[in-house]
Amino acid sequence: MDASPALLGAVLGPALQLQQAVLWPLPVYVAFVAAGLVLVGLPAIKTIAFSRWPSALRVLWVVLAVAAASGGLCGWRAAAFDQQRLDPRLQGVDLELTGVIRAMPQSSEPGLRFRLAVESAHRGGEPVSVPPEVMLGWYGGVTTGPQGAQLQRVPPTLRAGERWALTARLKAPHGNRNPHGFDYELWLWDQGVQATGYVRAGPNDPAPRRLGQTGRHPVERARQAVRDAVFERLAGAAGSGPTGRRLAGVVAALVTGDQAAIERPDWDVFRATGVAHLMSISGLHVTMFAWVAAAVVGWAWRRSGRLSLRLPAPTAGRLAGVAAALAYALFSGWGVPAQRTVWMLATVVALGLAGRRWPWPQVWLLVLAVVTVVDPWALLQPGFWLSFVAVGVLFATDSGAGQQAPMGPAARFNALLREQGVVTLALTPLTLLLFGQVSLVGLVANLLAVPWVTLVVTPLGLLGVLAPPLWDLAALAVDGLGRVLGWFAGWPWATLFLARAPLWAGVAGLAGGVLLVWRLPLPLRLLGVPLMLPVLLWQPQRPPQGAFELLAADIGQGNAVLVRTAAHTLLYDAGPRYSPEADAGHRVVVPLLRATAERVDTLVLSHRDSDHTGGAAAVLAQQPQAALWSSIESEHELQAARAVKRCVAGQRWRWDGVDFEILHPRAGDYEGAPKPNAVSCVLRVSGGGRAALLAGDIEREQEARLASDASDAATGAPSLRADVLLVPHHGSKTSSSDALLDAVRPRLALVQAGYRNRFGHPAAEVMARYRERAIRVVASPECGAARWSSLTPGEVQCERDNAPRYWQYREQGPRAPESGAPSPR
């Protein structure tokens, strides 16, 4: 029996363990490892006639035995790491931390973010235990909190390897949870981070102190020095301007692996043209570096007879290639794609040195098993599957695999064209499953970008470490490529966005894509077409006529609610602006709209505050047909993006048997200079005998008037009764008055607020009023995105309850507001 069953078991075990919602006690995983090893070893005992067993039973035995051992090992590591979680009692309190900066800090307009390896922690002079590694932010400028605006100490230049003593506040890892959204908590888990927080740098806080350089993390210090040198040369030169900084970011990313250096508009172009995988330290770059090192060392080794007698030149070249790949991966930050490539190369070279000549499926499965055992959580990363499936498809469709016949330039180009076409066609269904989009210009763009980035830009960038003027040439090469890619990205159909299909449709589509490119008779290959149709034509189910549903997105401290009817979509608010460089529109709302193939008919912005309008520009750019309703003033910057229709009480319309009505503000409320909250657009949606009330940030005065009007039949005001209420002002003390709650009488109340936000939303006294009336409150920090349907008015579906995993946030202990937490603005 070959090694395939064992290799399959090595992948299957961690894959099953990653499905756990809650970890078992650590001894259970230890027992699984021990049992698996015993079961693997039993067939070697001669008293067991393993060889006489049926072949299928022997294969099953080996698969299950190895799966038990590898899955147990994965769980063992997870359980041990989980024991380092932050004590809930230490969340949101001042802690005196001493530690070493273990990676180069990331700078942005609000401040810095860095990873701190904690050496000691104290609370009020008493030692406490915190996770060994935390992610901290240090924000400068003016920040706001319960005490009002405060001027924070501007963070100095931080360098990897420095030891600092500082005061910080920590919290458990927590990210937004939305359908098809990015799993930030998984990313932190895979990075080895068990707490995040911020440095206390206000005027009344102890000043952070630099205690000196430790000499630790020399690779990170070198990376930071090179990154800073790239920016100083390309972005710091007189007259370079924003373009110089943009080009410096791409060059720095290709040299040091700092993907955060690339600006968002450039990422948009790279994704639209399907070349984003080239703009960081990918497996392609590491492999290229290893190939060059192997060729150079092999060539030099052959020139020495003495060395060749000790070790054959091909062997020396392969070992040098692996060593070079390891060095490059370490220098580029030891990212997951680079790690994966190093393990792949090391495994293939080790197999060759051992004299093993396995068929390609076994080699492919061996590398897959090695990477999975080393980093099981890589199984949950899109790049893992894209790279392994691409390699497998190329092997499977290459009739000359393993042959090394000489090739002329024309033949090489034809081979490159065929390989790129095969990979593009075969991976299209998988790309749609993972990202919901595919670049229609990706084939042509990659044919240009792959050799240009791999053979020109990256070598120039790396050689620039020794000769900095070469960075100027690298920047010119990036600029030229960027202009061409920008032209491609500007095509009307450069990128195809489709609804994210379920897993079964993606798997069927992948099988269809592989079948289409397999070297089979044409009639058999065409059978792949119907297999691809589900992933290409998938559409999410919509409510029936007369019904509607709400999806309250998890966007942090702000509002963004999607209202869907049988054939129409309304978006109520667009979420907050997180910083000058990021907003909920780009990060959450637009990806959500694309993943669900939503065409927004109307965007209602309740009022001008940035936690409601921060993502509006991104939404309007992605939804050019959407009408805009709001109470924003005529001078607001969004007036230039779209003609704005002012919200006025009494406006109403009907979509698909569902009624929409604006209840507030009145026309006279705009006179003078009203507070933005006071003119929030209040929208009532009703259909099929059910209703929802979206109340913006109205406060007690507006609530009292709405309740009074609704109770006075003579005014003819519409009823406020609703089954679900979007809690006004995120649960602020200024809202959710008794009068409003008694008039609305909802079954459910949805709170959209940031996790441990600095305002203390929702306020405890407000939540008490909801409890007194037996109103169920669902808050986004604990629920994630919340889905409600008029067909099932007593139920709400929480995204955090959908396929929960053990690394994800779970509420522990009492919650307290982050008093004084900085919020750059």
Side-chain angles (χ1 to χ4, degrees), residues 737-753:
S737 61
D738 291 323
L740 179 73
L741 298 185
D742 290 338
V744 178
R745 289 182 282 175
R747 298 186 185 189
L748 295 169
L750 303 178
V751 178
Q752 288 186 299

Side-chain angles (χ1 to χ4, degrees), residues 1 50 52-64:
M1 185 170 58
F50 185 71
R52 299 178 184 175
W53 291 6
S55 176
L57 185 59
R58 282 183 287 154
V59 169
L60 182 62
W61 176 285
V62 173
V63 169
L64 294 180

Side-chain angles (χ1 to χ4, degrees), residues 325-597:
L326 176 62
Y328 185 31
L330 288 172
F331 183 75
S332 66
W334 197 234
V336 173
Q339 292 181 41
R340 184 168 58 242
T341 304
V342 169
W343 294 120
M344 291 172 66
L345 292 173
T347 301
V348 172
V349 169
L351 201 61
L353 294 179
R356 304 283 185 178
R357 298 185 63 84
W358 287 3
W360 77 259
Q362 277 191 269
V363 175
W364 182 84
L365 196 55
L366 173 62
V367 175
L368 182 70
V370 169
V371 173
T372 301
V373 171
V374 171
D375 183 12
W377 298 277
L379 285 170
L380 301 170
Q381 298 180 4
F384 175 92
W385 294 106
L386 289 173
S387 61
F388 271 104
V389 171
V391 172
V393 166
L394 288 175
F395 270 123
T397 59
D398 184 7
S399 62
Q403 300 178 11
Q404 301 295 328
M407 300 175 64
R412 289 182 182 276
F413 177 78
N414 289 334
L416 175 63
L417 182 63
R418 179 188 173 277
E419 290 175 359
Q420 192 63 51
V422 164
V423 169
T424 299
L425 180 58
L427 292 189
T428 291
L430 183 59
T431 304
L432 289 172
L433 175 68
L434 297 173
F435 303 109
Q437 70 179 74
V438 64
S439 174
L440 299 183
V441 298
L443 175 60
V444 178
N446 274 279
L447 283 174
L448 173 66
V450 167
W452 189 254
V453 172
T454 306
L455 302 178
V456 178
V457 179
T458 302
L460 286 172
L462 292 173
L463 292 173
V465 176
L466 303 176
L470 292 179
W471 284 332
D472 299 331
L473 296 179
L476 289 175
V478 169
D479 188 40
L481 178 64
R483 293 176 187 275
V484 175
L485 294 178
W487 180 69
F488 279 132
W491 289 11
W493 294 98
T495 306
L496 176 65
F497 295 96
L498 296 176
R500 296 280 287 273
L503 179 61
W504 67 265
V507 172
L510 176 60
V514 173
L515 193 58
L516 280 173
V517 299
W518 206 289
R519 291 181 179 271
L520 295 171
L522 182 60
L524 292 178
R525 293 165 64 180
L526 290 178
L527 293 176
V529 174
L531 290 174
M532 296 180 68
L533 292 180
V535 74
L536 294 174
L537 303 178
W538 178 264
Q539 288 295 319
Q541 184 177 5
R542 298 193 70 90
Q545 186 77 9
F548 67 99
E549 68 178 26
L550 308 182
L551 177 62
D554 186 6
I555 38 79
Q557 185 69 23
N559 281 151
V561 181
L562 203 62
V563 184
R564 302 171 74 239
T565 66
H568 292 82
T569 300
L570 178 143
L571 179 64
Y572 183 85
D573 282 336
R577 177 173 295 279
Y578 303 123
S579 72
E581 302 165 338
D583 59 71
H586 279 101
R587 287 192 178 180
V588 179
V589 181
V590 168
L592 179 61
L593 294 173
R594 285 174 172 167
T596 53

Side-chain angles (χ1 to χ4, degrees), residues 438-781:
V438 64
S439 174
L440 299 183
V441 298
L443 175 60
V444 178
N446 274 279
L447 283 174
L448 173 66
V450 167
W452 189 254
V453 172
T454 306
L455 302 178
V456 178
V457 179
T458 302
L460 286 172
L462 292 173
L463 292 173
V465 176
L466 303 176
L470 292 179
W471 284 332
D472 299 331
L473 296 179
L476 289 175
V478 169
D479 188 40
L481 178 64
R483 293 176 187 275
V484 175
L485 294 178
W487 180 69
F488 279 132
W491 289 11
W493 294 98
T495 306
L496 176 65
F497 295 96
L498 296 176
R500 296 280 287 273
L503 179 61
W504 67 265
V507 172
L510 176 60
V514 173
L515 193 58
L516 280 173
V517 299
W518 206 289
R519 291 181 179 271
L520 295 171
L522 182 60
L524 292 178
R525 293 165 64 180
L526 290 178
L527 293 176
V529 174
L531 290 174
M532 296 180 68
L533 292 180
V535 74
L536 294 174
L537 303 178
W538 178 264
Q539 288 295 319
Q541 184 177 5
R542 298 193 70 90
Q545 186 77 9
F548 67 99
E549 68 178 26
L550 308 182
L551 177 62
D554 186 6
I555 38 79
Q557 185 69 23
N559 281 151
V561 181
L562 203 62
V563 184
R564 302 171 74 239
T565 66
H568 292 82
T569 300
L570 178 143
L571 179 64
Y572 183 85
D573 282 336
R577 177 173 295 279
Y578 303 123
S579 72
E581 302 165 338
D583 59 71
H586 279 101
R587 287 192 178 180
V588 179
V589 181
V590 168
L592 179 61
L593 294 173
R594 285 174 172 167
T596 53
E598 293 294 342
R599 183 182 185 277
V600 176
D601 297 282
T602 299
L603 169 61
V604 176
L605 299 176
S606 61
H607 61 296
R608 74 179 316 277
D609 285 356
S610 63
D611 55 334
H612 298 255
T613 63
V619 172
L620 292 172
Q622 193 258 339
Q623 301 281 342
Q625 77 291 331
L628 178 58
W629 292 45
S630 184
S631 64
I632 60 175
E633 67 277 14
S634 57
E635 298 81 13
H636 196 280
E637 59 185 9
L638 288 173
Q639 294 277 2
R642 194 71 46 88
V644 180
K645 185 171 183 177
R646 175 171 283 188
C647 296
V648 178
Q651 295 166 328
R652 56 175 62 89
W653 66 95
R654 169 172 282 214
W655 285 341
D656 312 314
V658 177
D659 294 312
F660 294 76
E661 182 169 8
I662 300 293
L663 305 184
H664 181 80
R666 298 174 180 173
D669 293 335
Y670 289 100
E671 297 177 1
K675 291 174 54 180
N677 289 359
V679 289
S680 290
C681 302
V682 177
L683 176 66
R684 186 174 186 267
V685 186
S686 59
R690 305 299 178 186
L693 187 65
L694 309 180
D697 278 0
I698 59 171
E699 299 181 347
R700 288 192 186 95
E701 181 180 348
Q702 294 79 45
E703 293 177 352
R705 192 174 72 186
L706 283 170
S708 175
D709 290 346
S711 64
D712 186 358
T715 65
S719 170
L720 284 183
R721 288 290 306 275
D723 297 273
V724 60
L725 169 67
L726 181 64
V727 173
H729 204 176
H730 322 287
S732 166
K733 296 178 181 179
T734 63
S735 305
S736 295
S737 61
D738 291 323
L740 179 73
L741 298 185
D742 290 338
V744 178
R745 289 182 282 175
R747 298 186 185 189
L748 295 169
L750 303 178
V751 178
Q752 288 186 299
Y755 174 63
R756 303 186 65 83
N757 63 85
R758 70 186 187 277
F759 306 105
H761 295 163
E765 63 192 66
V766 171
M767 292 298 96
R769 291 199 286 270
Y770 284 89
R771 285 194 301 270
E772 291 170 0
R773 292 162 175 80
I775 301 171
R776 180 187 174 192
V777 176
V778 177
S780 56

